[in-house]
C-alpha cells in the first residue's frame, strides 16, 4: 500500500497536464511574422544605434523524436532600419534582407510548444552608402500556441549578430517577433 500511494499521487498530479488537448506540432509548416528590432554596434570602429520594423517568411519541418520535436527551417527577412552613427552624428536608414537556415527544437505541452532555434545566414543592406554584405548568427526562444489543428500563432525573442564582410562593422540586434504558422 505504501508503494501504491506515491504512484497514485503522482498520477493524480500529472493528470491535468495530460488531460489538455494534445496537439501534433510535427510536420511541414510555413509562417509569416512581423518583428520589431533594436540594434547596436559592438567591437566596431562605427558606433551605431538603429531600430527597425520588418517581416519574415519561414518554412520548415519538425520530426517527432518521442516527445521532443527536432527539425530544420529556412527564413527570409526584410527589415527597414533607421538610426544614427553616433561618432559622426550621421542619420542612417535603409533596408536589410537576409536568408538563414538552421535547427529548431521544441517540447509540446498540450496546445503550447516552447522552442529554441539556431540559424546561420547571409544578407545585404543598403544604408544609403552602397550595398554591404553580411553574415548572420541567429538564436531564438519562443512559444507556439495551437489556434486550430493546422493554424498556430507564435511569439519569440531573437538575438541576431550581423558580421559585415570586408568591414569592421558588427551589429547585435534584439528582435521581438509575432506571427502565424500553417502546418500541413
Amino acid at each position: 500500500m505504501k508503494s501504491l500511494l506515491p504512484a497514485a499521487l503522482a498520477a493524480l498530479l500529472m493528470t491535468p497536464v495530460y488531460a489538455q488537448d494534445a496537439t501534433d506540432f510535427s510536420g511541414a509548416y510555413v509562417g509569416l511574422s512581423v518583428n520589431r528590432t533594436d540594434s547596436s554596434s559592438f567591437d566596431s570602429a562605427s558606433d551605431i544605434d538603429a531600430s527597425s520594423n520588418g517581416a519574415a517568411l519561414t518554412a520548415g519541418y519538425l520530426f517527432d523524436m518521442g516527445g521532443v520535436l527536432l527539425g530544420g527551417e529556412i527564413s527570409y527577412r526584410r527589415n527597414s532600419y533607421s538610426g544614427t552613427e553616433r561618432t559622426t552624428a550621421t542619420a542612417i536608414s535603409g533596408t536589410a534582407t537576409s536568408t538563414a537556415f538552421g535547427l529548431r527544437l521544441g517540447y509540446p505541452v498540450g496546445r503550447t510548444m516552447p522552442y529554441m532555434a539556431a540559424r546561420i545566414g547571409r544578407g545585404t543592406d543598403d544604408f544609403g552608402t552602397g550595398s554591404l554584405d553580411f553574415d548572420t548568427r541567429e538564436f531564438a526562444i519562443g512559444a507556439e500556441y495551437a489556434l486550430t489543428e493546422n493554424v498556430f500563432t507564435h511569439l519569440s525573442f531573437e538575438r541576431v549578430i550581423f558580421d559585415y564582410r570586408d568591414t569592421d562593422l558588427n551589429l547585435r540586434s534584439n528582435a521581438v517577433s509575432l506571427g502565424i504558422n500553417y502546418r500541413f
Side-chain angles (χ1 to χ4, degrees):
M1 186 67 162
K2 286 184 178 184
S3 62
L4 184 60
L5 185 60
L9 184 58
L12 184 61
L13 291 174
M14 299 287 267
T15 300
V17 172
Y18 294 107
Q20 297 178 5
D21 295 336
T23 302
D24 184 9
F25 287 91
S26 65
Y29 63 92
V30 295
L32 180 64
S33 61
V34 295
N35 63 63
R36 175 71 179 161
T37 305
D38 290 313
S39 303
S40 61
S41 57
F42 69 99
D43 293 337
S44 301
S46 299
D47 187 9
I48 293 176
D49 278 327
S51 61
S52 74
N53 294 314
L57 181 61
T58 304
Y61 195 95
L62 291 173
F63 296 93
D64 188 348
M65 308 294 283
V68 174
L69 296 172
L70 178 65
E73 66 182 11
I74 186 168
S75 66
Y76 171 78
R77 286 180 202 266
R78 182 176 176 88
N79 285 53
S80 296
Y81 283 88
S82 63
T84 305
E85 202 293 322
R86 293 190 305 201
T87 307
T88 61
T90 304
I92 57 172
S93 64
T95 302
T97 58
S98 66
T99 302
F101 66 94
L103 296 175
R104 187 172 182 188
L105 176 69
Y107 182 75
V109 180
R111 298 175 65 92
T112 304
M113 181 183 67
Y115 66 86
M116 299 182 309
R119 299 179 287 268
I120 57 171
R122 289 196 155 184
T124 186
D125 74 24
D126 179 8
F127 285 111
T129 59
S131 181
L132 295 174
D133 295 328
F134 56 82
D135 297 319
T136 64
R137 293 175 307 212
E138 305 176 8
F139 308 96
I141 58 170
E144 283 194 22
Y145 180 77
L147 299 173
T148 69
E149 187 176 315
N150 294 21
V151 178
F152 301 79
T153 185
H154 72 267
L155 178 66
S156 67
F157 172 79
E158 300 180 15
R159 168 66 60 98
V160 181
I161 307 296
F162 296 89
D163 295 323
Y164 282 82
R165 287 184 250 146
D166 302 323
T167 70
D168 66 348
L169 179 60
N170 300 303
L171 292 178
R172 181 182 300 127
S173 294
N174 296 319
V176 175
S177 178
L178 176 65
I180 193 156
N181 289 351
Y182 180 81
R183 214 166 291 283
F184 300 96

